[in-house]
Amino acid sequence: MATKGIDVSRHQTIPDYAALKADGIDFVIVRAGYGGIVDSRFKEHITAAKKAGMKVGVYWFCYALDADGAEREADKCLGVIKGIGLDLPVFYDFEYDTERYANQHGTVYTPKLRTDIICAFCKRVQSAGYEVGVYTNPDYWNYRLVRGRLSGYRLWIALYVRRDCKGDFAVTKPEDIPAKFRDAYIWQFGHCNLGGQEIDVNYGYFPDDTGTIKVGDKYTLREGDVYSNGVRVPARLWGKVCTVSQVRNAEGRALLAEIKSWVRI
């Protein structure tokens, strides 16, 4: 089931998150920072969104010039989000302004270097116990990154349906996402006017909190299942019936007792 969401930073003012929640906006991805700088309105946004009962995740905008710089950004991010309960992943945002900054500082990215940087950040954050993902656009995903190395991370794809970048939940439906990106975790399809300002709009393709999977349920592993790190469950386990010992529906994960592993559900 797809859900509606927005993403925000210090550039947006949200006077009433509860009103957005009442209008069907179920999640928000908040910018925690960029480069080595903390977003000045991060705590304001994250606190208000959680109070309104919205699912929350965060993103960090990349200005790293190499893998070491990405690890420093990851450490900064981890310090900012420490103690904050997240429902959704920590995304690393790599796009054209990242490229502009690198060029100004004499760094010429290659697909390998871009991917090294993203992986360094994601591995660092993942090692601290967070689920991670990558925010980017089709140009990067198709041509500027080594896509195969990123298969273990959630994909947040920015793919606008209109040339003017406008988006409207009433017009664009979650099933309108192009077939090539139907494995995306979040689809940012444009921006629209909410509360008197332009805000990015998204569809999230993750489980809601209906409790369809609960502790004690039996789950049969099948072809296509993946562990929480994105690695595919091996064929030798297909058909194995397991008992759910823990569940994180908001993250779409269940801990299966017999294999002692978290699996995406």
Side-chain angles (χ1 to χ4, degrees):
M1 178 180 178
T3 56
K4 300 175 182 177
I6 60 173
D7 56 274
V8 297
S9 69
R10 67 178 176 84
H11 300 293
Q12 285 78 40
T13 300
I14 309 295
D16 193 346
Y17 271 99
L20 288 180
K21 174 67 174 174
D23 285 340
I25 306 299
D26 293 317
F27 72 92
V28 58
I29 310 296
V30 183
R31 187 176 72 173
Y34 50 99
I37 300 173
V38 178
D39 190 294
S40 59
R41 304 188 70 181
F42 170 69
K43 287 188 177 180
E44 173 190 332
H45 281 305
I46 206 91
T47 300
K50 287 173 71 69
K51 184 177 180 180
M54 299 172 76
K55 295 184 181 71
V56 296
V58 303
Y59 74 95
W60 194 275
F61 195 96
C62 173
Y63 282 124
L65 303 179
D66 53 29
D68 288 342
E71 289 183 346
R72 288 192 294 272
E73 291 188 359
D75 289 341
K76 188 74 173 183
C77 179
L78 288 170
V80 174
I81 65 177
K82 185 178 181 179
I84 296 175
L86 298 180
D87 309 291
L88 303 174
V90 177
F91 290 93
Y92 201 32
D93 183 346
F94 196 108
E95 51 185 282
Y96 297 119
D97 199 55
T98 309
E99 203 95 11
R100 176 199 59 77
Y101 178 85
N103 289 338
Q104 287 180 344
H105 289 77
T107 295
V108 178
Y109 289 136
T110 63
K112 179 182 182 301
L113 179 54
R114 295 184 191 100
T115 309
D116 286 346
I117 288 169
I118 292 171
C119 288
F121 178 94
C122 288
K123 288 177 181 177
R124 190 79 146 208
V125 174
Q126 194 175 52
S127 70
Y130 294 92
E131 188 168 22
V132 294
V134 181
Y135 171 96
T136 194
N137 60 51
D139 179 30
Y140 276 89
W141 194 244
N142 292 330
Y143 307 113
R144 297 174 181 243
L145 298 171
V146 184
R147 192 169 60 201
R149 292 175 57 196
L150 303 175
S151 60
Y153 308 131
R154 298 292 196 182
L155 174 62
W156 178 11
I157 192 71
L159 176 56
Y160 298 155
V161 296
R162 292 174 41 165
R163 289 193 176 192
D164 61 4
C165 300
K166 297 290 185 181
D168 189 326
F169 289 118
V171 175
T172 301
K173 303 303 180 183
E175 59 269 22
D176 293 335
I177 186 170
K180 189 172 184 177
F181 293 102
R182 284 185 182 157
D183 61 345
Y185 194 67
I186 299 176
W187 175 29
Q188 184 188 84
F189 62 91
H191 55 77
C192 69
N193 189 292
L194 291 175
Q197 60 191 303
E198 293 295 312
I199 298 178
D200 292 330
V201 286
N202 305 263
Y203 280 117
Y205 301 90
F206 36 83
D208 58 18
D209 291 328
T210 57
T212 53
I213 297 291
K214 59 185 184 298
V215 172
D217 281 352
K218 298 296 183 180
Y219 184 84
T220 302
L221 290 164
R222 57 190 186 275
E223 184 177 358
D225 280 339
V226 295
Y227 296 116
S228 59
N229 63 1
V231 175
R232 289 187 179 276
V233 172
R236 61 183 172 78
L237 293 179
W238 298 348
K240 184 177 180 63
V241 179
C242 298
T243 305
V244 175
S245 60
Q246 294 184 50
V247 65
R248 295 177 181 172
N249 277 314
E251 300 176 9
R253 298 192 292 163
L255 180 61
L256 304 183
E258 286 75 7
I259 63 172
K260 299 179 181 179
S261 299
W262 287 92
V263 173
R264 294 181 185 173
I265 55 174

